[in-house]
Amino acid sequence: MKNFKINSTSKLSIFRLVGCFIAMIFVVIALVGLFNKGLALGLDFTGGYLTEFSTEKSLSQQNMNNLLSNYLPESFKLTSAEQGTHWSVQQADNNVSLQDKAWLSDFADKNQLNISPQDAIYIGSQVGEDLINQGGLALLTAIIVILMYLSFRFEWRLAAGAVIALFHDVLIVLGLFAWFGIPFDLTILASLLAIVGYSLNDSIIVGDKIREIMKSTHDTTIDEVINQAIKSTLVRTMITSGTTLVTIMAVWGFAGESLAGFSIALFSGILVGTFSSIVIAATVPQLLGLTADYYQQKELEVCPLP
């Protein structure tokens, strides 16, 4: 902290420091949610029953969801295809869930629907356990490879800032799903891997600019170097984040319920990723003691004057 000297006129420096403190608070809140409430794992991870059927007439997803809610004893996940004529119902693996396709006939009679059963399968819990292990391993492998790359590419404190920002982004998204009980399935896991890549991209852009300015300027403070790097990359970051968020909102609005969780994860991940690239990835190196003349000192050590 002793190297964090803020110019009283620099609002950006104050924003970075306050933002870093706020980010830590949100990480704690996310961890509390994960440990106390946990993730609401979907059928992909827990196992359960998948029933597919088709209807003669096209129905809206909300209408079908209401009809099934009045009939099925517990919560379920409903997806539709082929313009509301093909349906998939996912139920948890417990004694209350209705199994096989036998319940469809009674459901069709009560609601006066012409239903054609398609398929009914059971997804075992062992499959779900394998998916958890493989998905977690994929995420861990990605983070380890990223850490190795950053350590080779940047000075270790710049690398540490990018990795801490990465963990921050993933934890915030997981905490959001834990606190609000949003079902966590394979599409959410895929979105986490996308968030890792997006967070890394933003952090590398800022870190590379910091390194470039440190190499080319003299007689300046690290605080000024970081602020200059953020200002020079801010427009690019805002344009990239803005266009990506618009695309995700389109997916959220038009892709239906099946990709709602994926869209929520990506939307929140990009928001916190943009925030963390400024207040964490750029600020942590300064808090760890990085100085503006680091690369000049390195050059002197490699090529000392006679």
Side-chain angles (χ1 to χ4, degrees):
M1 294 293 291
K2 62 182 180 181
N3 293 315
F4 201 102
K5 298 178 181 179
I6 299 178
N7 188 328
S8 60
T9 61
S10 177
K11 295 182 179 180
L12 182 56
S13 298
I14 297 174
F15 171 79
R16 288 194 292 110
L17 185 59
V18 173
C20 194
F21 178 73
I22 293 174
M24 289 189 291
I25 293 176
F26 276 107
V27 167
V28 172
I29 294 174
L31 289 173
V32 170
L34 287 171
F35 283 111
N36 286 349
K37 299 175 71 68
L39 293 171
L41 296 177
L43 181 65
D44 295 333
F45 296 106
T46 61
Y49 302 95
L50 175 65
T51 307
E52 295 183 346
F53 61 93
S54 60
T55 54
E56 184 179 11
K57 295 182 179 180
S58 176
L59 296 172
S60 67
Q61 182 150 339
Q62 183 177 1
N63 190 11
M64 179 61 75
N65 191 78
N66 292 336
L67 294 176
L68 288 170
S69 297
N70 295 328
Y71 183 83
L72 294 177
E74 278 204 346
S75 60
F76 58 89
K77 180 179 179 181
L78 175 68
T79 56
S80 64
E82 299 179 8
Q83 298 180 343
T85 58
H86 187 87
W87 304 89
S88 297
V89 179
Q90 299 179 16
Q91 301 177 79
D93 182 9
N94 53 47
N95 295 327
V96 182
S97 297
L98 301 181
Q99 306 173 19
D100 302 321
K101 295 182 286 187
W103 62 272
L104 284 174
S105 298
D106 183 54
F107 171 73
D109 292 339
K110 286 189 175 181
N111 295 280
Q112 298 181 349
L113 296 174
N114 189 358
I115 288 179
S116 300
Q118 300 293 328
D119 198 6
I121 59 174
Y122 172 73
I123 302 176
S125 57
Q126 183 61 41
V127 176
E129 184 178 343
D130 290 342
L131 288 174
I132 293 174
N133 293 335
Q134 293 171 8
L137 182 62
L139 188 59
L140 180 62
T141 302
I143 292 175
I144 291 175
V145 172
I146 288 169
L147 179 59
M148 293 172 60
Y149 167 76
L150 290 176
S151 299
F152 171 77
R153 170 82 174 172
F154 294 113
E155 197 273 340
W156 71 270
R157 282 164 287 203
L158 289 172
V163 172
I164 292 173
L166 187 152
F167 275 102
H168 162 271
D169 299 343
V170 173
L171 285 174
I172 293 298
V173 173
L174 289 175
L176 178 69
F177 275 73
W179 277 110
F180 289 96
I182 304 172
F184 188 92
D185 54 26
L186 282 179
T187 62
I188 312 303
L189 181 60
S191 70
L192 289 180
L193 293 174
I195 290 168
V196 167
Y198 192 92
S199 174
L200 177 64
N201 176 68
D202 257 5
S203 299
I204 285 181
I205 289 173
V206 175
D208 199 49
K209 195 64 178 180
I210 292 173
R211 183 181 60 175
E212 177 187 329
I213 296 173
M214 288 172 63
K215 287 182 175 181
S216 61
T217 59
H218 301 273
D219 300 326
T220 185
T221 65
I222 186 64
D223 188 60
E224 293 170 343
V225 168
I226 292 175
N227 289 345
Q228 184 180 344
I230 292 175
K231 289 177 182 177
S232 61
T233 59
L234 187 60
V235 174
R236 175 181 176 178
T237 299
M238 292 296 104
I239 292 175
T240 304
S241 299
T243 53
T244 308
L245 288 174
V246 170
T247 304
I248 295 171
M249 289 176 66
V251 174
W252 197 346
F254 295 106
E257 185 68 23
S258 59
L259 288 180
F262 177 81
S263 303
I264 292 172
L266 268 186
F267 190 90
S268 57
I270 289 174
L271 284 180
V272 299
T274 303
F275 177 74
S276 68
S277 66
I278 297 174
V279 305
I280 297 180
T283 305
V284 166
Q286 186 175 358
L287 295 175
L288 293 177
L290 182 64
T291 57
D293 60 348
Y294 172 80
Y295 287 103
Q296 282 78 24
Q297 292 178 1
K298 289 282 288 185
E299 290 178 0
L300 290 175
E301 292 175 2
V302 174
C303 302
L305 295 175

